[in-house]
Amino acid sequence: MPVLHRNVRYNCRVIFLNKKILLIRPKISLANTGNYRELRWFTPWTKARHVEEYFLPRIIQEVTGQETVPFGDAVLATKDTCLGAEICEELWAPNSPHIEMGLDGVEIFANSSGSHHVLRKAHTRVDLVNSATAKNGGIYILANQKGCDGDRLYYDGCAMISMNGETVAQGSQFSLDDVEVLVATLDLEDVRSYRAEISSRNLAASKVDPYPRVKVNFALSSSDDVAVPICMPIQWRHHSPEEEISLGPACWLWDYLRRSKQAGFLLPLSGGIDSSATACIVYSMCHQVCLAVKNGNADVLADVCRIVNDETYVPEDPREFCKRIFTTCYMASENSSQDTCNRAKLLAEQIGSYHINLNIDAAVKAVVGIFSMVTGRTPLFSVFGGSKRENLALQNVQARIRMVLAYLFAQLTLWTRGMPGGLLVLGSANVDESLRGYLTKYDCSSADISPIGGISKTDLKNFIQYCIENFHLTALRSIMSAPPTAELEPLVDGQVAQTDEMDMGMTYAELSIYGKLRKIAKTGPYSMFCKLINMWKEICAPREVASKVKHFFRMYSLNRHKMTTLTPSYHAENYSPDDNRFDLRPFLYNTTWSWQFRCIDKEVSKLEQKEEISLVVDTD
């Protein structure tokens, strides 16, 4: 919590016992990368092993009966052990406080954390906690925030207790319960005997500077607890990435829905992988809600009753609950195929959503007609002799009309059904398409929130397969086998001729690699080329790699401006291009990259010359 001490605002952990504050421990290492900007609001405590007197506000004095309390970098000494505190980022720092505290005899470390979920991140968190006590011994207690932060992040809980490098208790990950208490019975003598055997640790401990100790007249153990059974090490059970997608964004959606006080969601369902994956996440959310109510979660039930406007309602069947709070809408045009229409309809039937079929051709013709009336010119698709500009403009008109209709139906669909409230519009652009800019500004990618905006196409395909196997949604089989397409250009002989990967000039697998190199590895065109000629040496010649890298950076820089209007999305990947708080790079680039591309061309020439010399030598 924020505490103002001598006119400086610190992010603090307040430790209390029996209505008495024992210690206010200010945070030492602040999170200031990626999604976090703690230095904007707080100042780190830089006085190591130093304690000052803090005068409590009068309103707190009336509760605790204390005038002053210790404030600073100290530990708590009870009758039977010593406890130290870490706060969130300090566990991830290279010089974590638990190292020096452990050498100074602290046996129990407690961390109050706000660590957000990212796909495949849980094992890193678990490894950090276990390694904190593996070298130095001790007991580590990690409590992590649960729920939505009112923004793009979801905090996944995953509390744990570790002793001497092994997990002894694991909390739930992705739960609708607001509070979870994790307990373990452990023997402090196991910590002491473990440490006694590490001579290098004991040599370092003999030279460590001591921490100030706040004495606490309290004991965690008792003299007659010898027969109490202790907890044994367990094997951590990790979720697969597909399970994480099914659970994390589903909990995030529920948190957002109940806090926004809306009556449900509306999704433009195209019959493709992305919108279908979004629909499956909503269906998974309905499963989680029904399970929570079945397990006696009164808070979730109260939220459900308010959302559906029925105080007597109890959700038992996910499909039936889905019908009440989820509307899907297939927006056909003359460029849509019957196949995608059928796929969308069948999936809606299987998940139970209230499904709408409509045709946008009249609206498209009206808008294009206004343009023709004003200018005297009528744009044409490429297949009918139109230019690239005309072709793209006609595609964008369809896409943007779909957004307008999505919001119209979100506002009034429940009104037509005699039900109160409005619906939140869901977007379904994946992280790879956003990175490439393969979306129309203010089209159906523009929505209130998007549960898949931080997830790659590859992971979404795997998630679809997971839903086929676990939710028995057979409609997804044909969706999986169909090539991704925007269906914005005319059909050829009644069949789709336009595909996403052909339009983008790159595959989704390549996009994931570009994204990780661009954001996580911080590469520009030349350094990305240098990495890829080794990564792809078995499948691509250097000149081909150069061509791919140049094309990506042209498209990336040309479309970077679209990131300023990206729908708020569940943050699930560390290469998300979201520029609201995560990827704070410019949105206006020089698209020629002239100096970088020249360097690539020179390097390609050198590599080709070496290859020619090598071939001549081999021939001789």
Side-chain angles (χ1 to χ4, degrees):
M1 66 177 295
V3 177
L4 199 65
H5 176 57
R6 298 183 182 179
N7 297 328
V8 180
R9 185 170 51 238
Y10 297 98
N11 192 3
C12 299
R13 186 172 185 185
V14 180
I15 304 170
F16 56 89
L17 173 68
N18 296 332
K19 292 188 177 181
K20 300 292 182 182
I21 295 175
L22 304 178
L23 172 68
I24 300 178
R25 161 60 157 81
K27 195 171 181 181
I28 296 168
S29 299
L30 300 185
N32 209 55
T33 58
N35 289 292
Y36 300 102
R37 300 287 178 274
E38 274 194 285
L39 283 173
R40 178 181 293 178
W41 309 109
F42 301 107
T43 301
W45 181 259
T46 58
K47 303 173 184 177
R49 296 173 177 80
H50 178 75
V51 174
E52 297 174 355
E53 194 173 41
Y54 177 78
F55 284 84
L56 292 170
R58 278 194 289 266
I59 190 172
I60 304 298
Q61 291 183 28
E62 293 171 3
V63 175
T64 68
Q66 300 166 285
E67 185 177 85
T68 63
V69 294
F71 184 103
D73 185 18
V75 297
L76 303 177
T78 66
K79 292 180 176 181
D80 51 0
T81 187
C82 190
L83 298 89
E86 283 191 326
I87 306 175
C88 195
E89 177 72 9
E90 293 170 356
L91 171 63
W92 302 75
N95 58 339
S96 296
H98 69 255
I99 300 171
E100 294 286 306
M101 285 193 292
L103 293 175
D104 192 35
V106 173
E107 296 176 327
I108 301 174
F109 312 96
N111 189 322
S112 52
S113 184
S115 178
H116 68 279
H117 172 244
V118 171
L119 289 176
R120 303 172 180 85
K121 176 184 175 181
H123 75 277
T124 304
R125 194 187 295 148
V126 173
D127 290 345
L128 278 171
V129 171
N130 284 335
S131 64
T133 58
K135 286 185 178 181
N136 207 2
I139 297 169
Y140 203 104
I141 304 168
L142 175 74
N144 192 38
Q145 184 178 342
K146 297 177 70 174
C148 165
D149 71 340
D151 211 303
R152 292 154 173 81
L153 303 184
Y154 177 75
Y155 298 89
D156 56 338
C158 227
M160 66 176 293
I161 301 173
S162 171
M163 184 174 76
N164 297 342
E166 295 183 296
T167 304
V168 294
Q170 174 184 354
S172 63
Q173 189 178 15
F174 312 120
S175 168
L176 298 185
D177 296 331
D178 284 337
V179 177
E180 178 185 22
V181 179
L182 191 65
V183 297
T185 303
L186 301 171
D187 190 348
L188 289 169
E189 293 302 323
D190 289 337
V191 173
R192 292 157 189 165
S193 60
Y194 183 89
R195 287 179 169 177
E197 294 300 312
I198 308 174
S199 60
S200 58
R201 179 256 167 208
N202 297 332
L203 285 171
S206 66
K207 297 179 285 187
V208 74
D209 292 331
Y211 277 79
R213 276 166 161 72
V214 177
K215 293 182 179 180
V216 182
N217 187 25
F218 185 81
L220 276 71
S221 59
S222 62
S223 57
D224 58 352
D225 61 4
V226 178
V228 176
I230 63 171
C231 297
M232 302 304 293
I234 62 171
Q235 186 67 39
W236 188 276
R237 196 270 180 186
H238 288 283
H239 289 291
S240 68
E242 296 76 39
E243 289 175 316
E244 291 186 85
I245 294 171
S246 176
L247 298 170
C251 292
W252 182 73
L253 282 181
W254 176 249
D255 222 1
Y256 200 101
L257 177 61
R258 70 184 183 87
R259 292 170 66 175
S260 66
K261 303 189 185 305
Q262 297 301 299
F265 300 111
L266 180 137
L267 170 69
L269 184 61
S270 69
I273 285 178
D274 293 340
S275 62
S276 298
T278 303
C280 290
I281 289 172
V282 177
Y283 184 57
S284 175
M285 182 201 79
C286 294
H287 269 270
Q288 298 306 309
V289 169
C290 290
L291 181 61
V293 171
K294 182 180 178 181
N295 291 336
N297 192 319
D299 292 333
V300 171
L301 179 58
D303 287 329
V304 168
C305 293
R306 179 180 50 78
I307 289 168
V308 303
N309 195 40
D310 184 350
E311 294 181 357
T312 65
Y313 177 68
V314 178
E316 295 177 348
D317 178 10
R319 292 184 74 255
E320 189 275 332
F321 181 51
C322 194
K323 188 83 169 181
R324 288 174 176 256
I325 57 97
F326 189 32
T327 298
T328 51
C329 182
Y330 182 81
M331 303 185 193
S333 75
E334 61 185 6
N335 302 321
S336 304
S337 68
Q338 190 60 43
D339 288 340
T340 53
C341 179
N342 293 340
R343 291 177 200 134
K345 182 180 178 182
L346 183 57
L347 178 60
E349 289 174 356
Q350 292 186 356
I351 65 175
S353 66
Y354 180 81
H355 191 60
I356 300 170
N357 271 316
L358 61 88
N359 191 290
I360 67 170
D361 286 338
V364 173
K365 288 174 183 175
V367 171
V368 175
I370 293 172
F371 177 83
S372 299
M373 182 176 63
V374 172
T375 64
R377 302 285 299 275
T378 300
L380 300 173
F381 283 105
S382 295
V383 294
F384 302 132
S387 64
K388 286 185 177 180
R389 279 196 293 175
E390 295 170 72
N391 194 68
L392 185 59
L394 288 173
Q395 292 184 64
N396 288 344
V397 167
Q398 299 169 70
R400 289 180 175 128
I401 283 175
R402 285 186 171 122
M403 183 207 71
V404 173
L405 288 172
Y407 274 96
L408 176 62
F409 276 81
Q411 285 183 287
L412 295 180
T413 293
L414 295 183
W415 169 71
T416 65
R417 297 167 64 187
M419 301 164 65
L423 303 174
L424 293 166
V425 179
L426 296 181
S428 56
N430 62 65
V431 70
D432 296 324
E433 290 172 349
S434 298
L435 176 74
R436 160 64 173 72
Y438 184 63
L439 51 91
T440 300
K441 215 171 185 180
Y442 306 115
D443 69 346
C444 276
S445 65
S446 297
D448 292 313
I449 51 174
S450 171
I452 70 163
I455 304 174
S456 72
K457 191 77 162 191
T458 301
D459 282 335
L460 287 174
K461 287 181 178 179
N462 293 334
F463 169 62
I464 290 289
Q465 184 61 43
Y466 170 88
C467 292
I468 293 172
E469 296 169 1
N470 290 271
F471 294 145
H472 310 294
L473 301 175
T474 55
L476 295 173
R477 291 198 179 103
S478 60
I479 292 170
M480 271 282 284
S481 60
T485 174
E487 288 197 333
L488 294 172
E489 294 187 26
L491 304 176
V492 177
D493 298 327
Q495 300 297 315
V496 174
Q498 179 187 27
T499 64
D500 291 350
E501 291 188 339
M502 187 182 298
D503 275 357
M504 292 190 298
M506 59 192 75
T507 67
Y508 283 106
E510 289 171 346
L511 264 173
S512 290
I513 295 172
Y514 297 146
K516 290 169 185 173
L517 290 176
R518 178 62 178 151
K519 174 60 179 165
I520 300 174
K522 308 294 189 296
T523 62
Y526 180 73
S527 51
M528 183 182 289
F529 166 77
C530 292
K531 289 183 179 296
L532 288 177
I533 56 174
N534 289 306
M535 289 175 61
W536 291 348
K537 63 182 178 182
E538 302 297 330
I539 56 174
C540 292
R543 188 166 292 277
E544 188 179 356
V545 174
S547 176
K548 288 175 178 288
V549 170
K550 289 178 183 178
H551 180 60
F552 166 72
F553 271 94
R554 286 192 194 100
M555 295 300 102
Y556 168 83
S557 54
L558 189 67
N559 292 292
R560 177 71 186 165
H561 66 95
K562 296 178 181 178
M563 301 309 100
T564 62
T565 61
L566 274 186
T567 295
S569 303
Y570 182 94
H571 182 84
E573 276 288 357
N574 282 328
Y575 68 91
S576 168
D578 162 45
D579 87 331
N580 175 266
R581 63 188 278 185
F582 185 67
D583 190 356
L584 303 180
R585 280 184 277 215
F587 56 83
L588 180 62
Y589 278 97
N590 184 339
T591 60
T592 62
W593 301 89
S594 53
W595 185 82
Q596 293 92 335
F597 286 3
R598 282 201 304 271
C599 291
I600 291 175
D601 291 337
K602 289 179 183 178
E603 194 62 37
V604 169
S605 297
K606 289 179 184 178
L607 291 169
E608 290 179 340
Q609 288 173 6
K610 287 181 181 178
E611 182 66 23
E612 289 174 4
I613 293 171
S614 176
L615 288 172
V616 170
V617 171
D618 290 343
T619 303
D620 293 343

